[in-house]
């Protein structure tokens, strides 16, 4: 990557137009991006960046992947939208495929999977939340540091005070327990609990991985009280961790899984999967959406899944993730690298993540300071060995440019999307 002398690359014109025309929910954008190819994007000044964030774990196939472009264009030419009075081959095929992938990750599964499609992660969680209400119970248990989205129901399940406080009162009774603490979970769940909701790895918190037996403990606590177990895999799902789902390796079968982000590879789509009886909780009239299950979005997701299968990307993600993590952890200013596959959290000894992200951007790399002491990487799954090696090579210089020392590590406090 070339060194970028001037930064940020938003011209005064773009910055002013953005501020004048868009609500100020995200703060000023760092760049105006004009095009992308593979794992690279270009800004309005023609500078190139290696995209190690992938639109926050979204661009699974990178930018402009021919399979995605072809699938979306063909479907749009054929049939772009139908109402939910009707269905399409793409919608049914994608629901069947998601069920088959879930089944393949859980050999011997004796229950079917049913899907409700949405346009985003937060909507997938709204669907799941309404599904849990159909148990007749209203209490939910979620975890500190979690992120489930910004709509009112998903926000009620999100622990971060700064996101919640301006919008209270939020719906529902939610108890938050420390993430990774099975005893706290056991103490919080009662016979009135509708569901436990967990990210198998907390993404927005900066890629926080729970202890090995945590998901299994959550399953047994849920079973003990007749509660549903709901895994939010919006960020971790669809190959990001080197498996179709981040919970796959645990062998734990949840009742509900929510997906979005990488599912459509950049085309907006989310999904709420109900496993076994949970798939029958929502009945006619209980929920709906105009765009969810749109054939173009479903065709995009089918193309993403097909490409991951054909190009053996799960294996690639696993191997490359290890290499990348080992390469980055070799610098003594890195405490360790957490995560799985290509969802990595670089834990620094000091709360320098924002300065590191700025230095990386100036050096031509897009990364994310998800927490003060944690840098998140969620690159396209098609990232090449050479591209990853290029970042590892540049990494010590980025830390130098950011003035990073080996001071005390900062605990993740959550943040991001
Ligand atoms: C685990 C998780 N759930 C839900 C969401 C919300 O998804 P969306 O931004 O598509 O609404 C996110 C977004 O970062 C997420 O990481």
């Amino acid at each position: 990557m070339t060194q970028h002398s001037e930064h940020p690359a938003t011209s005064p014109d773009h910055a002013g137009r953005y501020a004048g025309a868009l609500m100020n929910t995200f703060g000023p954008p760092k760049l105006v991006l004009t095009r992308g190819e593979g794992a690279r994007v270009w800004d309005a000044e023609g500078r190139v960046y290696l995209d190690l964030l992938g639109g926050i774990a979204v661009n699974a196939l990178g930018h402009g992947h021919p399979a995605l472009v072809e699938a979306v264009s063909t479907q749009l030419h054929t049939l772009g939208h139908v109402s939910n009075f009707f269905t399409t081959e793409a919608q049914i095929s994608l629901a069947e495929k998601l069920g088959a992938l879930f089944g393949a990750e859980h050999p011997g599964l004796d229950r079917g999977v049913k899907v409700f499609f949405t346009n985003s992660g937060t909507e997938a969680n709204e669907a799941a939340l309404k599904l849990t209400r159909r148990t007749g119970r209203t209490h939910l248990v979620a975890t500190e540091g979690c992120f489930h989205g910004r709509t009112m129901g998903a926000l009620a399940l999100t622990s971060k005070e700064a996101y919640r406080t301006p919008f209270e009162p939020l719906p529902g009774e939610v108890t938050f327990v420390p993430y990774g603490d099975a005893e706290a979970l056991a103490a919080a769940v009662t016979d009135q609990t509708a569901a436990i909701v967990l990210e198998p790895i907390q993404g927005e918190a900066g890629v926080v991985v729970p202890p090995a037996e945590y998901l299994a403990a959550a399953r047994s606590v849920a079973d003990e009280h007749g509660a549903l177990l709901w895994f939010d895999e919006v960020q971790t799902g669809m190959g990001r961790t080197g498996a179709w789902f981040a919970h796959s390796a645990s062998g734990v079968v949840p009742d509900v899984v929510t997906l979005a982000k990488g599912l459509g590879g950049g085309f907006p789509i989310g999904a709420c999967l109900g496993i076994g009886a949970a798939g029958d909780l929502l009945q006619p009239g209980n929920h709906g959406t105009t765009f969810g299950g749109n054939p173009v979005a479903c065709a995009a997701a089918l193309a993403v899944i097909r490409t991951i299968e054909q190009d053996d990307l799960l294996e690639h993600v696993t191997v490359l993730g290890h290499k990348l993590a080992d390469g980055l952890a070799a610098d003594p200013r890195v405490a360790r690298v957490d995560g799985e596959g290509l969802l990595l959290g670089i834990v620094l000894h000091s709360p320098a993540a924002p300065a590191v992200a700025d230095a990386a951007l100036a050096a031509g790399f897009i990364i994310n300071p998800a927490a003060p002491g944690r840098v998140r990487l969620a690159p396209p799954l098609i990232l090449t060995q050479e591209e990853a090696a290029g970042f590892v090579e540049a990494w010590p210089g980025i830390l130098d440019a950011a003035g990073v020392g080996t001071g005390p590590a900062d605990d993740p406090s959550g943040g991001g999307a």
Side-chain angles (χ1 to χ4, degrees):
M1 287 297 121
T2 43
Q3 186 74 25
H4 301 328
S5 48
E6 276 172 45
H7 172 73
T10 35
S11 67
D13 183 38
H14 279 123
R17 283 171 53 210
Y18 182 94
L22 286 121
M23 289 191 193
N24 187 23
T25 52
F26 300 108
K30 288 192 178 296
L31 301 171
V32 179
L33 296 176
T34 52
R35 73 184 176 95
E37 192 182 316
R40 289 175 302 160
V41 289
W42 281 259
D43 71 18
E45 314 292 320
R47 290 177 285 206
V48 62
Y49 302 82
L50 185 63
D51 181 5
L52 294 166
L53 187 57
I56 318 188
V58 168
N59 299 103
L61 304 185
H63 302 274
H65 194 288
L68 189 55
V69 173
E70 160 71 21
V72 166
S73 319
T74 303
Q75 184 61 51
L76 193 54
H77 272 111
T78 314
L79 188 64
H81 176 79
V82 298
S83 76
N84 286 307
F85 294 123
F86 309 103
T87 189
T88 59
E89 177 59 35
Q91 185 184 63
I92 299 171
S93 293
L94 180 60
E96 288 174 343
K97 186 68 190 175
L98 290 172
L101 293 177
F102 187 88
E105 298 283 73
H106 296 285
L109 185 75
D110 57 357
R111 284 158 284 163
V113 175
K114 288 192 179 162
V115 182
F116 182 89
F117 286 118
T118 68
N119 312 289
S120 65
T122 202
E123 287 170 89
N125 286 337
E126 292 294 329
L129 182 56
K130 286 182 75 176
L131 178 157
T132 70
R133 286 285 173 107
R134 301 300 296 150
T135 62
R137 302 181 184 185
T138 54
H139 177 237
L140 290 134
V141 177
T143 59
E144 291 168 9
C146 71
F147 185 80
H148 298 296
R150 303 290 204 139
T151 51
M152 294 300 260
L155 188 57
L157 291 166
T158 293
S159 72
K160 195 170 177 176
E161 287 300 331
Y163 296 166
R164 300 170 58 85
T165 309
F167 302 101
E168 284 171 341
L170 291 163
E173 319 146 49
V174 185
T175 304
F176 292 101
V177 294
Y179 186 64
D181 183 340
E183 282 178 23
L185 206 52
V189 177
T190 73
D191 290 349
Q192 301 308 312
T193 304
I196 300 171
V197 53
L198 292 176
E199 293 162 84
I201 296 174
Q202 286 188 334
E204 295 303 303
V207 191
V208 178
V209 183
E213 293 307 313
Y214 185 56
L215 301 184
R219 179 72 274 176
S220 52
V221 171
D223 288 345
E224 198 182 318
H225 294 282
L228 298 172
L229 181 61
W230 159 11
F231 290 154
D232 178 344
E233 295 243 22
V234 165
Q235 185 154 161
T236 53
M238 303 316 295
R240 167 108 341 246
T241 63
W244 286 110
F245 308 102
H247 74 266
S248 299
S250 71
V252 172
V253 181
D255 302 294
V256 177
V257 176
T258 44
L259 299 168
K261 288 196 180 272
L263 176 59
F267 208 92
I269 180 168
C272 170
L273 277 54
I275 291 89
D280 292 321
L281 281 169
L282 287 174
Q283 287 295 307
N286 282 170
H287 199 40
T289 163
T290 294
F291 293 118
N294 167 284
V296 182
C298 291
L302 284 166
V304 169
I305 294 169
R306 209 178 306 121
T307 305
I308 291 174
E309 288 179 330
Q310 282 171 1
D311 295 355
D312 210 3
L313 287 180
L314 297 184
E315 173 69 9
H316 171 72
V317 165
T318 304
V319 172
L320 193 57
H322 280 300
K323 273 199 181 158
L324 194 50
D326 290 348
L328 298 169
D331 191 290
R333 289 165 292 184
V334 171
R336 62 178 194 282
V337 178
D338 290 343
E340 290 285 341
L342 288 178
L343 183 62
L344 297 174
I346 309 168
V347 184
L348 302 171
H349 286 291
S350 60
V356 171
D358 285 346
L361 199 63
F365 298 96
I366 297 177
I367 60 176
N368 172 244
R374 283 179 178 254
V375 171
R376 172 175 48 174
L377 305 183
L381 310 186
I382 49 113
L383 185 77
T384 65
Q385 302 272 2
E386 294 70 31
E387 287 165 337
F391 180 59
V392 169
E393 199 184 319
W395 180 237
I398 291 169
L399 294 178
D400 288 345
V404 177
T406 50
D410 219 44
D411 265 342
S413 65

